[in-house]
Amino acid sequence: MQTIRVETPTAKYDVIAGSGLVATLAPRIERVVGRLPRRVFVLTSAPIWALWSDAFLSSFAEPPVTLFLPPGEEHKTLASVEKLLRQMALAGGDRGSLLIAFGGGIVGDVGGFLAAIYMRGIPYIQVPTTFLAQVDSSVGGKTGVNLPEGKNLVGSFHHPLAVFADIGVLGTLPERELKAGLMESVKAGIIRDRALVRFMEEHADEVLGRDARALEKVIAASIRMKAGVVKQDERERGLRMILNLGHTVGHALEQATGYKALLHGEAVGWGMVAALYLARKRGTISSGQFERLEALIHLYGPLPPLKLRAARVVAATGGDKKNLGGVRRFVLPVGIGDAGVVEDVSAAELEAAVGYMLAQAGEKHAG
Ligand SMILES: NC(=O)c1ccc[n+]([C@@H]2O[C@H](COP(=O)([O-])OP(=O)(O)OC[C@H]3O[C@@H](n4cnc5c(N)ncnc54)[C@H](O)[C@@H]3O)[C@@H](O)[C@H]2O)c1
Ligand SMILES: [Zn+2]
C-alpha cells in the first residue's frame, strides 16, 4: 500500500494505491470525510458493476444509490450528464451528498463533472478501475465531457477528496486496456523518472503478468510523477504540458482513425515514437537513448498497425486543443527523465517524424 499526497493551490488529498481497497471502502472514506452523509451516490457502468458490486458493497452498512453510465466514449456527453443530475435530484441528493466515481476514465471524468456542478459542487471520491484511470485520469482534477465538435471541450477543474486505486480490480481488465494504460507510465518515466524507465525495462514480465507488487510500484511512481507536475502547475499554464508527450501526434492518430481503431494509450505509444524521432534529430536525446526508449514502448506492445497517410496525420495535428493560437506545441524528451516544450517544429520535421512512425507501424506490425 502506498500513499501519495497531491497538493495544489486549490486542493490537498491522498491517492492510495494498493490491493483490497474496493472491499474496504466505507471505513476508508469515513476516515477522510468523517461520517458518511445521508446520500451517497456511486456512478459506475454496468459491466464494472457486474464484476465488482459485491466487493464494493461489502463494506457499506447502507448501500449507496447506484447511477449508471453506459460504457463507451459516445456516452461521455452533456446529455448523459443531464440525465444523471436529474436522477441525483430525484433521489434526494443535497449539498452534503457524496459521489463515488467507480470505473474507468470515462466514469471518472463524468463523475467528477457531476460532482463539480450538482448544486454548484459536492465532494467526490475517485475509485478508478482501469490502469489508465489509476495512473492518469483520476489524479489532477480535470473533469468533463465531449462535444460533437471535439473531445473534452466542456468541463471543470474539481479535485476529489481522495483516490483509491485498487490493484486487485485490474485483474479483470482486458489485456489490451492494460497495455494501453501502461503507455502513460512509459511516458511518466521518460519525462520525469529514470528509475521508473529502468524498472519497466527490467520487470516487464511481472508488470504484464499483473504481479501485484510490480503493478503497485509502477502505478505509485506514475501517480507520484503526475502529482509532482500538477503541484507546480495545476492549470496547465506551463510545466503540466509535458504530460502531453506523445499526445500531439497521438491525438492526431485518434482523430484520423475516428476514435475507433486505437485506444488512447496506443495512440500515445505511437505518438511517443514520433516524438522520440524528433528529439533524436534535434539532439535532445542520443541515438542510444532513442533506441532504448523505442524498445521500451514496444516491450509493452505490440501497438496496433496503422494504415494512414502521413499528410492526413500531419493535418490532424493542427486541430489539437493544446495548440494555443495555432502554434504547434510539441513535447520532446530531454535525455531520459526530463522533457521540454518546443513551439517551432517545422512542417518538414513533423512530416519526417510521422513518416518514420508510420513506417514502423506498417512494417513490423502488418499482418
Ligand atoms: N481527466 C483526465 O485528466 C484524463 C486523463 C486521461 C484520460 N482521460 C479520459 O479517460 C477516458 C478513457 O479512460 P479509460 O481508458 O479508463 O477508458 P474507459 O473508461 O472507457 O474504460 C475502458 C473499458 O474498460 C472497462 N473496464 C473498466 N474497468 C474494468 C475492470 N476493472 N475490469 C474489466 N473491465 C473494466 C470499461 O467498461 C470500458 O469498456 C477518456 O474519456 C479520456 O478523455 C481523462
Ligand atoms: Zn493520455
Side-chain angles (χ1 to χ4, degrees):
M1 193 87 59
Q2 299 201 35
T3 302
I4 301 115
R5 185 85 178 149
V6 180
E7 283 190 29
T8 75
T10 62
K12 292 182 183 22
Y13 56 99
D14 286 336
V15 182
I16 293 142
S19 301
L21 296 171
V22 164
T24 53
L25 216 49
R28 290 180 187 282
I29 293 174
E30 281 180 332
R31 244 170 276 154
V32 179
V33 302
R35 268 186 56 201
L36 288 177
R38 195 173 56 85
R39 272 289 167 272
V40 179
F41 294 97
V42 53
L43 176 71
T44 187
S45 76
I48 297 162
W49 198 241
L51 291 164
W52 291 101
S53 60
D54 287 350
F56 187 101
L57 292 171
S58 65
S59 68
F60 287 86
E62 246 187 84
V65 177
T66 322
L67 306 168
F68 290 101
L69 181 68
E73 194 73 44
E74 68 272 26
H75 296 290
K76 191 176 150 181
T77 59
L78 284 170
S80 297
V81 167
E82 183 177 6
K83 229 183 260 171
L84 293 163
L85 290 169
R86 293 183 60 188
Q87 288 171 21
M88 290 168 75
L90 264 173
D94 58 30
R95 251 176 244 153
S97 298
L98 176 76
L99 186 139
I100 305 169
F102 181 51
I106 294 180
V107 165
D109 279 12
V110 172
F113 191 50
L114 290 174
I117 62 176
Y118 186 72
M119 299 216 159
R120 301 194 181 81
I122 62 169
Y124 79 113
I125 304 266
Q126 289 275 20
V127 186
T129 64
T130 63
F131 190 92
L132 179 112
Q134 295 192 353
V135 299
D136 192 353
S137 61
S138 64
V139 179
K142 284 189 185 177
T143 76
V145 296
N146 305 324
L147 292 179
E149 286 72 21
K151 275 197 63 176
N152 299 323
L153 291 185
V154 177
S156 165
F157 280 92
H158 188 50
H159 289 278
L161 293 180
V163 182
F164 297 100
D166 186 341
I167 280 129
V169 294
L170 299 180
T172 55
L173 191 66
E175 170 101 7
R176 191 177 165 200
E177 294 283 350
L178 174 68
K179 285 182 164 176
L182 278 159
M183 287 299 148
E184 299 284 2
S185 291
V186 169
K187 177 198 80 180
I190 295 175
I191 62 179
R192 269 290 178 272
D193 189 346
R194 291 175 68 103
L196 177 58
V197 167
R198 190 161 320 118
F199 185 86
M200 291 187 76
E201 286 173 335
E202 289 171 357
H203 300 277
D205 286 349
E206 289 109 295
V207 172
L208 290 168
R210 307 185 201 210
D211 172 79
R213 282 179 54 193
L215 281 179
E216 184 177 306
K217 195 148 172 151
V218 172
I219 290 167
S222 308
I223 293 169
R224 210 166 275 125
M225 186 289 301
K226 186 161 182 188
V229 170
V230 169
K231 177 177 182 174
Q232 291 176 59
D233 177 22
E234 184 178 26
R235 298 282 163 136
E236 199 166 329
R237 301 220 161 87
L239 181 69
R240 191 165 177 171
M241 283 176 201
I242 71 167
L243 299 176
N244 292 312
L245 173 71
H247 282 62
T248 305
V249 169
H251 286 148
L253 291 173
E254 289 183 284
Q255 196 191 317
T257 52
Y259 297 93
K260 291 207 169 73
L262 296 170
L263 296 180
H264 172 71
E266 294 168 342
V268 170
W270 280 126
M272 286 193 290
V273 170
L276 290 173
Y277 180 90
L278 211 74
R280 182 186 60 175
K281 283 283 173 200
R282 288 197 164 202
T284 66
I285 59 172
S286 68
S287 297
Q289 289 169 331
F290 172 82
E291 278 163 29
R292 187 176 158 194
L293 295 175
E294 191 185 36
L296 177 64
I297 292 167
H298 294 307
L299 192 57
Y300 288 90
L303 295 172
L306 302 172
K307 285 189 204 75
L308 289 165
R309 286 182 309 111
R312 176 89 203 275
V313 179
V314 171
T317 59
D320 195 303
K321 181 178 57 156
K322 303 285 151 68
N323 292 323
L324 304 179
V327 178
R328 193 185 275 132
R329 284 236 157 86
F330 230 96
V331 183
L332 295 184
V334 179
I336 297 178
D338 199 5
V341 179
V342 293
E343 299 187 337
D344 60 346
V345 174
S346 70
E349 271 181 298
L350 183 56
E351 267 164 41
V354 167
Y356 174 82
M357 173 197 76
L358 290 175
Q360 301 302 304
E363 237 171 62
K364 270 195 219 153
H365 299 267

